Structure formats: C-alpha cells, structure tokens
Amino acid sequence: MKSVLLLLSIFVSLEAAVVFRDCVPSTTAHPYVTFTSVTVSPSPVVVPGNITIGVQGNVLQHFGTDVSMVVHMDKHLLGVWTKVPCSQNVGSCNYDNPCEFLSVFKSSGTCPPQLTAHGLPCTCPFNPSDINLPQTVFEVTHINAAWQWIISGNFRVQIEMIHGHEVVGCFHVEMDIKRIGHNGGFFLG
C-alpha cells in the first residue's frame, strides 16, 4: 500500500510540474530564437500572486515586424486536451504582427523593471543577444477580463515564430494554473 501511495504522489507531483521544451524544427537552417532553459514557480502557478521565472536562450537573428506568431493553446478538460479557441486575442490565435502587443511598452517609454535590470529589451526590433533572466519575481496583480474565463486549469501552449513559411522560433510549455477566488467548475477546471 505504501508503494502505491508513493507512486501516486510522484505521478501527481509530475503532473503539476512545469514542462518546457524548445521546439524549433531541426530542419530550420537559421533559427531566430532558441531557449535552453525555462523555469517557473510555484507549481501550480497561482494568480493573482508572485510568479518566479527564469529564462536562458539566444536571439540569433535580427527580427521585428517581419515575423508572425502562431499560438496553439490546449486545456485539459474531462481527461482530454481540448483546443482553446481564439477570443479577444486570447487562446489559439494567429498574430500577423506580434510587435503590436509590445508597442504599449514603447509608447510608455519603459519596460518592466525585471527585464531592464538584466538588459533585456521588451520592444521590437530584437537584435542578436543572449537571453539570461535569472530566477526573477513577477507580481500578477490583475487578470485581464479576457483571460478570467480560462485562467484556471492544466494548460499546454506552443508558440511558433514564422518568417515566410518557416518556423524560426518555437517554445512549448505545460503548466497548471490556479486562480485565487476561483472554485473551478465542471467544464472550466
């Protein structure tokens, strides 16, 4: 009985862990961005609240508005991975110019201090450089209304950067997110 409980506890802790991988296809001759390490804690991520993120990787090519982005988002519902549809730019969406989302930082003239403290830019264009964000705390104080219907549960997200018809950057992450004050629900986790 003890061994069954131990195996169950290991399985549950593995299910709650954050999983990441760089998914640039091996056929991509000149990737724009690669990631070697991504860490996120706590697990599960609790929002609102503090999230600690660490990222290591490389920007290998100059890029900006010449790339598009495809986001594939799935949520684990009733034992099956289910595609989250695109609604108000949230979910499985295609973005012709992802730099538009970063323009808010350009218009305000400031990047998040956690990024600037480590010399990381937050607006387009991006130039070749190392990405080295050590374990850094980000405080999530507000959840955008567009995200509130989906924010709690087990997710997997794959983000692909596209130049022409080639995937030049790809990042895959799986994590469990718990929203404070949200009791879940039969369909929404």
Side-chain angles (χ1 to χ4, degrees):
M1 183 65 168
K2 287 182 182 180
S3 61
V4 171
L5 291 175
L6 177 61
L7 287 174
L8 182 59
S9 68
I10 291 171
F11 177 74
V12 169
S13 67
L14 287 175
E15 284 293 306
V18 174
V19 174
F20 115 92
R21 74 176 184 276
D22 185 285
C23 47
V24 174
S26 60
T27 56
T28 299
H30 302 287
Y32 284 27
V33 178
T34 60
F35 296 96
T36 54
S37 173
V38 175
T39 57
V40 179
S41 64
S43 184
V45 171
V46 178
V47 292
N50 290 337
I51 302 171
T52 302
I53 300 172
V55 180
Q56 280 72 45
N58 300 96
V59 175
L60 303 166
Q61 306 286 329
H62 174 86
F63 70 92
T65 58
D66 58 330
V67 299
S68 59
M69 190 167 64
V70 177
V71 176
H72 306 274
M73 180 184 289
D74 297 310
K75 183 174 181 177
H76 204 246
L77 294 171
L78 304 174
V80 177
W81 286 108
T82 305
K83 179 180 177 179
V84 176
C86 185
S87 176
Q88 301 177 16
N89 285 323
V90 175
S92 297
C93 302
N94 297 336
Y95 304 98
D96 292 332
N97 182 7
C99 289
E100 287 178 18
F101 294 106
L102 303 176
S103 65
V104 68
F105 296 118
K106 189 171 272 187
S107 63
S108 71
T110 183
C111 288
Q114 296 93 330
L115 299 181
T116 56
H118 299 287
L120 298 172
C122 66
T123 59
C124 293
F126 293 94
N127 295 309
S129 64
D130 292 335
I131 302 168
N132 185 11
L133 180 67
Q135 297 289 314
T136 304
V137 176
F138 292 84
E139 183 180 10
V140 177
T141 58
H142 173 75
I143 301 168
N144 185 305
W147 284 87
Q148 288 185 7
W149 67 276
I150 190 74
I151 198 67
S152 193
N154 195 359
F155 294 89
R156 67 180 181 192
V157 179
Q158 185 160 306
I159 300 171
E160 298 173 334
M161 293 174 50
I162 312 291
H163 181 257
H165 298 289
E166 184 177 35
V167 176
V168 294
C170 185
F171 177 78
H172 178 94
V173 65
E174 297 178 23
M175 70 175 65
D176 192 20
I177 301 173
K178 300 289 182 199
R179 182 166 64 114
I180 293 175
H182 181 255
N183 293 329
F186 185 71
F187 289 107
L188 297 178

